Amino acid sequence: MELYKPSYILLKELYQRAENKLNTDSSSEKIFEETFTVKGWIRSSRKQKDILFIQMYDGSHVTPLQLVFDEKLQELKNKIEPFSHIGASLEAVGYIVKSPAKGQLIEMQIVDCKIIGQVVDPDTYLPGIKNVPLEYPRRVQHLRPKFRSYGSIYRIRSHLMKAIQQFFDLTDCLHLDVNT
């Protein structure tokens, strides 16, 4: 019995489902017939002619998801684009399709999108600044997960902690925290 079912899907689960689906059937353009809701923050955004591309990241998967606002969504694109700075959080609804770009498995064709949290001053927002020394985010702990290097460190640490805990479980040992 599932007590809590989130209203959105994590990128990790989305990529796993897409890989499974593409391994079994790679003929159709749309990978799934249903729409998905994803939430996360913006890693990057760029505009190319009449199309807006946003790289969205939620921390659950190494690879961000590319959101595509095509020319049919001009009104929505005009509403989102002024606030699409690195670090802004958003909620997007759309269809998952195979990506025509090299190096990308999937992308999301947007149906609806809204900015949940804005970046007040994009020029001074730390994760948006290039070449920040690794020591500097130590002083701003709440922003650490938004840096790629710290995200990788946290994922490695999580897997190591899980392996240690499994070892203790298999050997019927107790893991005691000496700090308490």
Side-chain angles (χ1 to χ4, degrees), residues 115-174:
I115 298 286
I116 298 172
Q118 299 178 24
V119 174
V120 178
D121 188 5
D123 296 329
T124 60
Y125 182 64
L126 194 59
I129 299 172
K130 301 279 186 206
N131 301 322
V132 175
L134 197 56
E135 295 81 33
Y136 191 75
R138 288 182 176 181
R139 290 183 246 154
V140 284
Q141 293 180 359
H142 64 286
L143 293 178
R144 282 186 192 176
K146 293 191 178 190
F147 287 89
R148 291 179 189 177
S149 55
Y150 276 97
S152 297
I153 290 167
Y154 291 150
R155 269 190 292 284
I156 291 169
R157 183 179 184 273
S158 176
H159 286 290
L160 288 173
M161 294 300 290
K162 189 185 295 183
I164 290 169
Q165 192 60 47
Q166 285 175 343
F167 169 78
F168 284 138
D169 287 344
L170 288 173
T171 57
D172 289 329
C173 293
L174 295 176

Side-chain angles (χ1 to χ4, degrees), residues 8-176:
Y8 59 94
I9 188 168
L10 294 175
L11 295 186
K12 179 180 180 179
E13 184 182 340
L14 190 62
Y15 274 102
Q16 287 171 348
R17 289 175 63 181
E19 285 174 1
N20 292 340
K21 181 80 171 180
L22 287 174
N23 287 338
T24 58
D25 176 32
S26 60
S27 60
S28 63
E29 182 65 28
K30 273 188 187 174
I31 297 177
F32 304 105
E33 291 301 319
E34 60 187 304
T35 60
F36 288 95
T37 302
V38 292
K39 294 183 181 183
W41 60 84
I42 297 174
R43 272 266 171 94
S44 67
S45 68
R46 65 183 168 82
K47 188 174 181 179
Q48 188 175 2
K49 294 184 182 176
D50 290 333
I51 302 174
L52 176 65
F53 298 97
I54 293 179
Q55 293 284 330
M56 194 207 74
Y57 180 74
D58 72 352
S60 67
H61 198 266
V62 178
T63 310
L65 178 65
Q66 179 165 274
L67 311 178
V68 180
F69 296 78
D70 60 10
E71 58 275 348
K72 298 176 214 157
L73 298 169
Q74 195 66 34
E75 186 179 320
L76 179 62
K77 186 170 45 175
N78 291 339
K79 191 173 87 174
I80 296 293
E81 188 176 9
F83 304 106
S84 63
H85 303 292
I86 294 174
S89 56
L90 55 88
E91 177 180 334
V93 179
Y95 291 98
I96 302 299
V97 297
K98 284 190 291 189
S99 178
K102 192 174 184 179
Q104 274 180 199
L105 178 67
I106 57 173
E107 63 186 23
M108 179 180 271
Q109 295 289 332
I110 296 300
V111 174
D112 190 27
C113 184
K114 64 181 175 184
I115 298 286
I116 298 172
Q118 299 178 24
V119 174
V120 178
D121 188 5
D123 296 329
T124 60
Y125 182 64
L126 194 59
I129 299 172
K130 301 279 186 206
N131 301 322
V132 175
L134 197 56
E135 295 81 33
Y136 191 75
R138 288 182 176 181
R139 290 183 246 154
V140 284
Q141 293 180 359
H142 64 286
L143 293 178
R144 282 186 192 176
K146 293 191 178 190
F147 287 89
R148 291 179 189 177
S149 55
Y150 276 97
S152 297
I153 290 167
Y154 291 150
R155 269 190 292 284
I156 291 169
R157 183 179 184 273
S158 176
H159 286 290
L160 288 173
M161 294 300 290
K162 189 185 295 183
I164 290 169
Q165 192 60 47
Q166 285 175 343
F167 169 78
F168 284 138
D169 287 344
L170 288 173
T171 57
D172 289 329
C173 293
L174 295 176
H175 180 191
L176 300 176

